[in-house]
Amino acid sequence: MVYILLGEGFEEAEALVTADVLRRAELPVCLAGIGGEMVTGSHNIVVKSDKAVEGITLSAGDMVVLPGGMGGVASIENSQTAMALARQAREDPALWLAAICAAPTLLARAGLLGSGVHAVCYPGMEDELSAAGAVPQMDRPVVAEGSLITGRGPGAAFDFGLALVEALAGAETAEQIRAGLHYGS
């Protein structure tokens, strides 16, 4: 299961494009709400979550996805449950963790990136990655390193979603989805 964590002020494009791309690949996706069933994004789009973050129990192969948006990142950071899920996903080699836009900086602040880890985030925030010992790769829309996948921002949402599909379902499936979307062609 892929759990996309939604907190008030999340970046809608990063969460919903990612969910759409994953579902096109027939991967199970759960929009997990922080603080309520109806969650308002940074552009006032209200999304109904599938379940509360408190109802999540991670199993081998699961992925936790952290969309950006300053409000959404603050919501994740202020939720003990959401942060526990991020920590578990980062520390357990049988799990995946993905973060896009401002969310990789949350991982940096929480000590979840590690020294020498390659990552990308929203441009202008890369100093937060460097301060944690990570190596920013700002010339790339997405960086996949082991079980950690990071994305640059809303404009990289399709690249991010396709990288998640590739990690979970393989390069061939990701290419089929990319071709079906007529993305990059």
Side-chain angles (χ1 to χ4, degrees), residues 8 11 21 28 46 48 64 72 78 80 85 99 106 111 113 119 123 127 148 160 174 177 180:
E8 289 291 318
E11 172 53 58
V21 170
V46 180
K48 181 180 181 291
V64 175
N78 292 324
Q80 289 182 346
L85 291 168
L106 172 151
L113 286 183
D127 288 348
L148 175 68
F160 184 70
I177 300 304

Coordinates of all heavy atoms in Angstrom, one line a residue, residues 8 11 21 28 46 48 64 72 78 80 85 99 106 111 113 119 123 127 148 160 174 177 180:
E8 N -3.3 19.8 6.4 CA -3.8 21.1 6.0 C -2.7 21.9 5.3 O -1.6 22.0 5.8 CB -4.4 21.9 7.2 CG -5.7 21.4 7.7 CD -6.9 21.5 6.8 OE1 -7.0 22.6 6.2 OE2 -7.7 20.6 6.7
E11 N 0.4 20.4 -0.9 CA 0.4 20.8 -2.3 C -0.4 19.8 -3.1 O 0.0 18.7 -3.2 CB 1.9 20.9 -2.8 CG 2.0 21.1 -4.3 CD 1.3 22.4 -4.8 OE1 1.5 23.5 -4.3 OE2 0.4 22.2 -5.7
V21 N -1.1 8.8 -10.9 CA -0.1 8.0 -11.6 C 0.0 6.6 -11.0 O 0.1 5.6 -11.7 CB 1.3 8.7 -11.7 CG1 2.4 7.8 -12.2 CG2 1.1 10.0 -12.5
P28 N -2.1 0.0 -5.1 CA -3.0 0.5 -4.1 C -2.5 1.8 -3.4 O -1.4 1.9 -3.0 CB -3.1 -0.7 -3.1 CG -1.8 -1.4 -3.2 CD -1.4 -1.2 -4.7
V46 N -10.4 20.9 -1.4 CA -10.7 20.1 -0.3 C -10.7 18.6 -0.8 O -11.4 18.3 -1.7 CB -12.0 20.4 0.4 CG1 -12.3 19.5 1.6 CG2 -12.0 21.9 0.9
K48 N -11.1 14.5 0.3 CA -11.6 13.5 1.3 C -10.6 12.4 1.5 O -10.3 11.7 0.5 CB -13.0 12.9 0.9 CG -13.5 11.9 1.9 CD -14.9 11.4 1.4 CE -15.5 10.4 2.4 NZ -14.7 9.2 2.5
V64 N 5.5 5.3 2.3 CA 4.9 6.5 2.9 C 5.4 7.7 2.0 O 6.6 7.8 1.7 CB 5.4 6.7 4.3 CG1 4.9 8.1 4.9 CG2 4.9 5.6 5.2
G72 N 1.2 21.8 4.7 CA 1.1 20.3 4.7 C 2.3 19.8 5.4 O 2.2 18.8 6.3
N78 N 4.1 18.3 12.8 CA 3.4 18.5 14.1 C 2.6 17.3 14.5 O 2.0 17.3 15.6 CB 2.6 19.7 14.1 CG 3.4 21.0 14.0 OD1 4.5 21.1 14.6 ND2 2.9 22.0 13.3
Q80 N 2.6 13.5 15.7 CA 3.5 12.5 16.2 C 3.3 11.2 15.4 O 4.3 10.5 15.1 CB 3.2 12.2 17.6 CG 3.7 13.3 18.6 CD 3.5 13.0 20.0 OE1 2.7 12.1 20.4 NE2 4.1 13.7 20.9
L85 N 5.5 7.4 11.3 CA 5.4 6.6 10.1 C 6.6 6.9 9.2 O 7.2 6.0 8.6 CB 4.1 6.9 9.3 CG 2.8 6.4 10.0 CD1 1.6 7.0 9.3 CD2 2.7 4.9 9.9
A99 N 9.4 11.8 -0.6 CA 9.1 13.1 -0.2 C 9.4 14.1 -1.3 O 10.3 13.9 -2.1 CB 9.9 13.5 1.0
L106 N 11.9 18.5 5.8 CA 11.3 17.9 7.0 C 12.2 16.7 7.4 O 12.5 16.5 8.6 CB 9.9 17.6 6.8 CG 9.2 16.8 7.9 CD1 7.7 17.1 7.9 CD2 9.3 15.3 7.8
G111 N 16.5 14.4 11.0 CA 17.6 13.5 11.0 C 17.4 12.2 10.2 O 18.1 11.2 10.5
L113 N 17.7 11.9 6.7 CA 18.3 11.8 5.5 C 19.7 11.1 5.6 O 19.9 10.2 4.8 CB 18.5 13.2 4.8 CG 17.3 13.8 4.3 CD1 17.6 15.1 3.6 CD2 16.6 12.9 3.3
A119 N 19.7 13.8 -2.5 CA 18.3 14.2 -2.5 C 18.0 15.5 -3.2 O 19.0 16.2 -3.5 CB 17.8 14.3 -1.0
P123 N 13.6 24.3 -4.9 CA 14.7 25.2 -5.1 C 14.7 26.3 -4.1 O 13.7 26.9 -3.8 CB 14.6 25.7 -6.5 CG 13.8 24.6 -7.2 CD 12.9 24.1 -6.2
D127 N 19.8 24.3 1.2 CA 20.7 24.5 2.4 C 20.3 23.6 3.6 O 21.1 23.2 4.3 CB 20.8 26.0 2.8 CG 21.6 26.8 1.8 OD1 22.2 26.2 0.9 OD2 21.5 28.0 1.9
L148 N 14.7 5.5 -0.6 CA 14.3 6.9 -0.5 C 14.2 7.6 -1.8 O 15.1 7.5 -2.6 CB 15.3 7.7 0.4 CG 15.1 9.2 0.5 CD1 13.8 9.4 1.4 CD2 16.3 9.8 1.1
F160 N 8.0 12.4 -10.4 CA 7.9 11.8 -9.1 C 7.0 10.6 -9.0 O 7.4 9.5 -8.6 CB 7.5 12.9 -8.1 CG 7.5 12.5 -6.6 CD1 8.7 12.3 -5.9 CD2 6.3 12.3 -5.9 CE1 8.7 11.9 -4.6 CE2 6.3 12.0 -4.6 CZ 7.5 11.8 -3.9
A174 N 6.4 1.5 -15.5 CA 6.5 3.0 -15.5 C 6.5 3.6 -16.9 O 5.8 4.6 -17.1 CB 7.7 3.4 -14.7
I177 N 2.9 3.5 -18.3 CA 2.1 4.6 -17.7 C 2.5 5.9 -18.4 O 1.7 6.7 -18.7 CB 2.2 4.6 -16.2 CG1 1.8 3.3 -15.6 CG2 1.5 5.8 -15.6 CD1 0.4 2.9 -15.9
G180 N 1.1 6.1 -21.8 CA -0.3 6.3 -21.7 C -0.7 7.7 -21.4 O -1.7 8.2 -21.8

